[in-house]
Amino acid sequence: MINKFDSVLLAQKKFIYHYKNMRWAKGRHETYLCFVVKRRVGPNSLSFDFGHLRNRSGCHVELLFLRLLEAGALCPGLWGYGAPDSVGLCYSVTWFCSWSPCSDCSYRLAQFLSQTPNLRLRIYVSRLYFCDPEDSSAREGLRMLQRAGVQITVMNYEDYFYCWQTFVACRQRVFKAWDGLHQNSVQLARKLNDILQPGEAEDWGDAFELLGL
DNA sequence: ATTTTCAAT
């Protein structure tokens, strides 16, 4: 018999392996996306769905998520058609992804969101995907997502803790941080901040120059 | 200092 929670929840080892935020995440040729969907009708906001996805057959996991949205599988009534009571329906999606989106996924997500103003998306990422070169298109993609109203955040201890409780078959086992989790998270958050607020460093430089420092 | 990355065999 299929138990919902055996299929919906992630195995502990899998979660740790794929979400570890080490700088050199060797061999992670998969990307996981854990999501929570909340649905708001009027003043009430309710958790509607949750689960996880993995990239498959050359398709990035973000695009799989988009496909599910387009098929009406995750946020029914998102476009207002269907039942009359779906008018004014809002959804908010929060996802936790082991990699940040590539430029193409960012572009498609931004496009999708521009057509669905009643969908809010918040993205937490464990590691930054191809973001080392300052002029990388992945960086530009993240900025585009931000302009599309997406909040992008690097996962910290509390986020991993939350994911462990929510998406992992943890069987009462408390989440145990790996070595360097906090440091890596702080470093990645700083990098993401640089990506999303370009020019700030120069502004500081200018400020120091003005102050004669 | 350098290492990897939603594979390709």
Side-chain angles (χ1 to χ4, degrees):
Chain A
M1 197 182 102
I2 295 172
N3 175 343
K4 187 190 179 197
F5 290 100
D6 282 339
S7 58
V8 165
L9 297 181
L10 261 168
Q12 297 181 9
K13 281 181 182 170
K14 212 161 243 189
F15 176 79
I16 298 282
Y17 181 72
H18 286 284
Y19 278 86
K20 234 179 194 179
N21 63 355
M22 64 231 265
R23 178 133 173 75
W24 283 281
K26 204 171 185 172
R28 271 82 176 163
H29 296 300
E30 284 180 329
T31 296
Y32 280 79
L33 189 162
C34 296
F35 65 89
V36 175
V37 178
K38 286 188 181 181
R39 179 182 161 108
R40 198 174 73 226
V41 186
N44 304 312
S45 179
L46 290 172
S47 283
F48 185 69
D49 202 359
F50 77 100
H52 71 267
L53 295 170
R54 194 194 79 194
N55 66 301
R56 275 170 201 284
S57 57
C59 183
H60 282 193
V61 72
E62 293 89 339
L63 298 186
L64 283 183
F65 193 92
L66 273 189
R67 278 190 203 169
L68 289 175
L69 278 178
E70 280 161 355
L74 283 172
C75 301
L78 183 62
W79 290 277
Y81 50 68
D85 62 1
S86 67
V87 174
L89 190 63
C90 290
Y91 283 98
S92 69
V93 168
T94 302
W95 83 40
F96 301 85
C97 209
S98 51
W99 286 113
S100 61
C102 74
S103 57
D104 184 55
C105 288
S106 293
Y107 176 75
R108 298 214 210 172
L109 279 170
Q111 283 256 303
F112 186 89
L113 291 169
S114 71
Q115 288 155 17
T116 52
N118 52 336
L119 172 66
R120 289 198 66 81
L121 177 62
R122 220 171 355 167
I123 297 181
Y124 289 82
V125 302
S126 193
R127 298 180 302 267
L128 296 170
Y129 187 71
F130 281 112
C131 282
D132 281 345
E134 286 198 20
D135 59 349
S136 70
S137 55
R139 285 189 178 222
E140 187 48 44
L142 295 179
R143 286 191 284 269
M144 187 184 355
L145 270 183
Q146 188 183 45
R147 288 195 296 274
V150 181
Q151 218 179 78
I152 313 167
T153 314
V154 166
M155 289 173 73
N156 63 19
Y157 176 81
E158 285 175 7
D159 303 320
Y160 291 113
F161 190 93
Y162 171 79
C163 282
W164 182 264
Q165 300 288 346
T166 308
F167 305 107
V168 177
C170 59
R171 296 165 197 266
Q172 319 280 338
R173 244 187 85 185
V174 176
F175 174 66
K176 195 176 174 300
W178 48 85
D179 284 346
L181 181 153
H182 178 67
Q183 275 184 316
N184 295 342
S185 173
V186 167
Q187 206 166 2
L188 286 165
R190 204 173 290 151
K191 187 164 169 180
L192 179 61
N193 192 51
D194 286 347
I195 293 169
L196 297 180
Q197 300 182 0
E200 192 182 275
E202 293 134 56
D203 291 347
W204 276 107
D206 291 345
F208 284 132
E209 207 170 317
L210 278 170
L211 290 166
L213 296 172

